[in-house]
């Protein structure tokens, strides 16, 4: 059964090869399009790193304090070999992204190359839109007299007792799949455990699958994400130029102040703007804009606030004169081998005041500069719409169609976004593997893991995608709060959220279905039975 909502990206990391004279290090990525009939035919999660449990925990706690460790982690990220499968109705032709050679600061040539192609997959469509390939299941047996006996399969069991805000979308998805939900938990083990926040929401799981990776929350805090990406920027500056220049506070405050002062001394007309993001902030809380390092609100009593300060993108792509961002959902199904599925549908979240380039007068106008839904929904200009292509929250596909109508090459836009996602996750993988073994060392009973991430991406005026941040726990609510009468609020359905998020959760469950069957014969270019 094919996934309706995901593009499959299977990434395998390889050790960088060194020549005998040590002058060159090269890494290559090769890609070939594959069209398996079952999206679950990839390898299961198996993240392992050598060492004792307590030693690994110590390494994780001090993971960013050692410069030599950072360099080694970067070498572990090296290159990727990607298999990308596309069955989107938005991108009809093959897509391809490539990256070239770069020089590192030691002048040893390195190559980080990412290639991807996408092809359409044809299949019969069920009532729920699933593309289905008709091959014989292992559960189908023939009797001696030729009569067929079909063995009934037990429904997949899902523990939703810790699901929290994703519960409603999860319930809808489980009903559509005709699986069995245990909303109060279950004494007997379940096939899938759906946690709302962390891998550790339930400490007593020794089998099955959990929808969170150990350490993912820690790695996606703004400081740790910036460190991981900046390490790769040092090695591959051209490949990782999708992340704004950033400084970590308070430790890099003097560096930040000095670099900005020197830049202004060299060019008196330079008037950069910076955005400050608290390390543990969410939903836009605590974010503000500055134009000078002296404006930082980093000191609170005797304590310094930990934050990331980044260059602000002053020329974003506008639609209806409004700034917007893209929330794209990405499923990490396995760390080793690295297996990624990128949702073909996402959300576009709009500001609620017409955009103007930042000036000293408008720096505090959050409804103009910040795209966070939780902020803009408080604006009187926020528009809740029953349509997926109007209002302050729309589908990503509606934006792509609109751009295509103006002659934009949306295949290029989409392939650039895929490349951004792959490279970002590559930067995170070494540390994630350390966290993984700290909780599930080899030989110890434990579950396997998968996780849906929320990538927040901004398109610049020139259509280049920029990574804003990655969320370990993207909101999966399918309703919004609405004032039904003066002072009376209730939750009402949100059509755009339901269309996108139920599809993502349902297809995630299908992809991790423990009972899925592999095809009897490989499906690939030229031998797709439905082609």
């Amino acid at each position: 059964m094919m996934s309706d909502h995901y593009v499959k990206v299977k990434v395998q990391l390889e050790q960088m090869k060194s020549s005998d004279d040590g002058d060159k290090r090269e890494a290559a990525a090769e890609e070939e399009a594959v069209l398996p009939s079952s999206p679950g035919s990839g390898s299961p999660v198996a993240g392992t790193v050598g060492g004792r449990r307590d030693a690994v925990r110590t390494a994780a706690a001090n993971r960013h304090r050692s410069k030599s460790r950072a360099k080694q982690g970067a070498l572990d990220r090296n290159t990727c070999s990607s298999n990308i499968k596309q069955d989107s109705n938005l991108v009809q032709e093959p897509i391809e992204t490539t990256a070239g050679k770069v020089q590192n600061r030691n002048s040893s040539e390195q190559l980080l190359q990412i290639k991807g192609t996408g092809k359409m997959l044809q299949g019969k469509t069920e009532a729920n839109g699933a593309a289905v390939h008709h091959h014989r299941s292992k559960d189908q047996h023939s009797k001696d007299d030729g009569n067929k006996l079909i063995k009934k399969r037990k429904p997949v069991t899902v523990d939703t007792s810790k699901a929290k805000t994703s519960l409603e979308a999860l319930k809808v998805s489980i009903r559509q799949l005709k699986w069995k939900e245990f909303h109060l938990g279950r004494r007997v083990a379940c096939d899938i455990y759906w946690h709302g926040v962390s891998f550790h929401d339930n400490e007593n799981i020794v089998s099955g699958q959990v929808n969170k990776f150990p350490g993912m929350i820690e790695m996606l805090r703004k400081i740790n994400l910036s460190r991981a990406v900046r390490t790769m920027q040092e090695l591959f500056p051209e490949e990782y130029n999708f992340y704004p220049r950033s400084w970590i506070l308070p430790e890099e405050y003097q560096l930040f102040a000095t670099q900005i002062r020197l830049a202004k001394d060299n060019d008196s007309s330079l008037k950069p703007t910076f955005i400050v993001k608290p390390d543990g902030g969410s939903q836009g809380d605590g974010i503000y804009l500055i134009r000078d390092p002296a404006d930082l609100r980093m000191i609170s009593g005797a304590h310094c606030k930990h934050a990331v300060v980044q260059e602000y993108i002053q020329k974003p792509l506008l639609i209806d004169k409004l700034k917007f961002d893209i929330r794209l959902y990405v499923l990490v199904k396995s760390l080793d081998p690295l297996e990624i599925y990128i949702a073909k549908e996402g959300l576009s979240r709009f500001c609620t005041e017409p955009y103007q380039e930042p000036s000293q007068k408008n720096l505090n106008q959050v409804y103009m500069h910040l795209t966070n839904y939780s902020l803009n929904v408080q604006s009187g200009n926020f528009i809740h719409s029953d349509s997926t292509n109007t209002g302050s929250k729309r589908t990503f596909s509606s934006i792509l169609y609109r751009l295509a109508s103006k002659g934009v090459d949306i295949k290029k836009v989409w392939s650039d976004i895929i490349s951004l996602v792959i490279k970002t996750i590559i930067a995170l993988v070494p540390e994630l593997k350390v966290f993984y073994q700290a909780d599930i060392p080899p030989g110890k009973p434990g579950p396997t893991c998968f996780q849906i991430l929320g990538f927040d991406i901004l398109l610049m005026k020139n259509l280049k995608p920029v990574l804003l941040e990655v969320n370990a726990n993207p909101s999966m609510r399918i309703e919004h709060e609405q004032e039904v009468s003066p002072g009376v609020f209730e939750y009402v359905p949100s059509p755009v959220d339901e269309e996108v998020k139920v599809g993502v959760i349902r297809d995630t469950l299908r992809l991790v279905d423990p009972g899925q069957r592999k095809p009897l014969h490989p499906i690939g270019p030229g031998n797709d039975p439905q082609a």
Side-chain angles (χ1 to χ4, degrees):
M1 180 179 292
M2 280 302 306
S3 166
D4 299 330
H5 289 75
Y6 279 116
V7 176
K8 181 180 179 184
V9 185
K10 187 176 180 183
V11 185
Q12 294 177 335
L13 304 181
E14 298 175 355
Q15 189 66 24
M16 186 172 291
K17 297 178 181 179
S18 300
S19 59
D20 293 338
D21 57 9
D23 291 333
K24 291 185 178 181
R25 287 176 180 156
E26 293 187 64
E30 295 181 356
E31 188 283 338
E32 68 176 23
V34 294
L35 300 176
S37 75
S38 170
S41 58
S43 301
V45 175
T48 57
V49 181
R52 297 175 61 88
R53 180 188 178 102
D54 53 354
V56 173
R57 286 190 180 277
T58 302
N62 298 281
R63 59 191 178 280
H64 294 303
R65 297 180 184 177
S66 169
K67 185 174 180 180
S68 61
R69 169 125 186 241
K71 289 183 178 180
Q72 184 60 45
L75 291 178
D76 290 341
R77 299 173 176 92
N78 309 313
T79 70
C80 69
S81 171
S82 308
N83 290 331
I84 301 179
K85 171 177 59 59
Q86 170 97 19
D87 64 312
S88 169
N89 292 325
L90 301 179
V91 185
Q92 298 288 342
E93 301 295 331
I95 58 174
E96 181 171 333
T97 57
T98 59
K101 295 182 179 180
V102 296
Q103 294 284 339
N104 74 357
R105 57 181 59 185
N106 297 322
S107 299
S108 61
E109 187 177 50
Q110 299 188 2
L111 174 67
L112 176 66
Q113 188 178 54
I114 299 210
K115 282 185 163 186
T117 63
K119 294 182 180 294
M120 293 292 295
L121 184 71
Q122 303 296 332
K124 277 197 170 183
T125 302
E126 291 181 324
N128 64 3
V132 180
H133 300 286
H134 298 286
H135 56 77
R136 291 181 59 82
S137 168
K138 292 180 180 179
D139 289 337
Q140 292 179 323
H141 307 281
S142 296
K143 290 184 176 181
D144 292 338
D145 59 1
N147 294 328
K148 293 181 179 179
L149 175 64
I150 301 177
K151 183 179 180 181
K152 187 176 180 180
R153 177 185 156 190
K154 293 182 180 179
V156 178
T157 56
V158 184
D159 183 334
T160 64
S161 61
K162 306 292 185 180
K164 296 190 176 180
T165 57
S166 60
L167 181 59
E168 290 305 313
L170 184 58
K171 283 179 174 290
V172 173
S173 300
I174 292 172
R175 285 198 301 267
Q176 291 180 356
L177 294 171
K178 299 180 180 179
W179 290 3
K180 192 166 184 178
E181 176 196 1
F182 290 87
H183 67 280
L184 296 177
R186 186 190 189 198
R187 290 184 179 180
V188 180
C190 281
D191 297 308
I192 297 172
Y193 295 84
W194 197 277
H195 291 180
V197 178
S198 166
F199 173 80
H200 298 286
D201 284 356
N202 187 336
E203 298 283 357
N204 302 313
I205 303 174
V206 296
S207 64
Q209 301 183 72
V210 177
N211 72 316
K212 303 292 180 185
F213 278 98
M216 188 67 81
I217 291 177
E218 290 81 358
M219 281 307 301
L220 293 183
R221 291 174 70 95
K222 294 175 180 61
I223 287 178
N224 288 341
L225 175 64
S226 291
R227 288 189 192 277
V229 176
R230 289 192 331 179
T231 297
M232 297 300 282
Q233 284 179 326
E234 293 178 3
L235 295 170
F236 309 104
E238 293 182 10
E239 304 306 324
Y240 281 81
N241 62 3
F242 55 80
Y243 192 67
R245 192 179 184 190
S246 60
W247 296 264
I248 294 169
L249 303 178
E251 62 189 79
E252 294 179 346
Y253 171 75
Q254 290 300 330
L255 176 63
F256 170 56
T258 300
Q259 290 180 339
I260 301 309
R261 177 175 53 79
L262 291 175
K264 289 183 176 181
D265 289 345
N266 292 332
D267 184 356
S268 59
S269 65
L270 187 65
K271 295 182 179 180
T273 302
F274 304 93
I275 185 167
V276 184
K277 304 176 181 179
D279 183 41
S282 62
Q283 300 182 336
D285 184 40
I287 297 178
Y288 61 98
L289 273 59
I290 62 171
R291 307 206 76 180
D292 189 276
D295 298 331
L296 281 167
R297 310 169 197 165
M298 60 178 293
I299 305 298
S300 176
H303 301 284
C304 294
K305 294 183 179 179
H306 295 274
V308 170
V309 57
Q310 293 180 327
E311 288 183 316
Y312 179 78
I313 306 301
Q314 301 195 54
K315 295 187 181 297
L317 178 67
L318 303 180
I319 289 183
D320 300 331
K321 299 182 180 180
L322 299 172
K323 179 181 176 181
F324 69 97
D325 73 356
I326 302 161
R327 164 60 61 84
L328 197 62
Y329 299 95
V330 175
L331 170 64
V332 180
K333 187 172 179 284
S334 169
L335 288 180
D336 189 9
L338 183 56
E339 190 171 354
I340 306 165
Y341 290 80
I342 303 176
K344 297 178 293 184
E345 185 61 286
L347 296 171
S348 298
R349 306 171 301 181
F350 283 75
C351 287
T352 47
E353 290 183 6
Y355 179 77
Q356 298 175 9
E357 288 196 21
S359 65
Q360 200 63 45
K361 293 182 179 180
N362 67 27
L363 285 184
N364 294 326
Q365 297 184 27
V366 294
Y367 299 147
M368 174 188 296
H369 294 297
L370 304 183
T371 54
N372 303 74
Y373 165 78
S374 55
L375 291 177
N376 282 279
V377 74
Q378 301 174 37
S379 167
N381 296 327
F382 192 94
I383 300 173
H384 291 289
S385 175
D386 289 337
S387 170
T388 59
N389 56 12
T390 61
S392 298
K393 186 189 287 186
R394 314 177 193 178
T395 59
F396 178 39
S397 60
S398 72
I399 302 301
L400 290 178
Y401 280 123
R402 184 160 178 174
L403 294 176
S405 69
K406 296 182 179 181
V408 171
D409 184 358
I410 60 172
K411 292 183 292 185
K412 177 65 165 56
V413 172
W414 184 239
S415 62
D416 287 347
I417 289 174
I418 289 175
S419 180
L420 177 154
V421 169
I422 294 172
K423 293 171 185 175
T424 300
I425 295 179
I426 287 174
L428 300 171
V429 164
E431 300 292 350
L432 287 175
K433 286 184 176 180
V434 173
F435 277 110
Y436 194 98
Q437 190 192 345
D439 279 283
I440 314 175
K444 176 188 174 183
T448 54
C449 302
F450 63 96
Q451 189 156 352
I452 300 172
L453 305 179
F455 273 68
D456 290 348
I457 297 169
L458 182 76
L459 290 178
M460 297 176 62
K461 191 174 183 179
N462 62 3
L463 298 175
K464 176 184 175 180
V466 174
L467 178 65
L468 300 180
E469 60 184 69
V470 186
N471 294 270
N473 295 307
S475 171
M476 286 296 175
R477 282 192 180 275
I478 56 175
E479 65 280 327
H480 61 81
E481 194 176 60
Q482 182 172 304
E483 189 173 14
V484 293
S485 61
V488 179
F489 294 86
E490 68 178 28
Y491 281 102
V492 297
S494 171
V496 64
D497 284 295
E498 183 169 353
E499 176 173 327
V500 174
K501 295 174 183 178
V502 170
V504 167
I505 290 180
R506 184 188 65 240
D507 278 14
T508 295
L509 291 173
R510 291 162 65 189
L511 289 166
V512 301
D513 177 0
Q516 59 194 342
R517 300 292 185 258
K518 294 183 180 181
L520 296 181
H521 303 286
I523 306 299
N527 62 350
D528 182 353
Q530 297 295 329

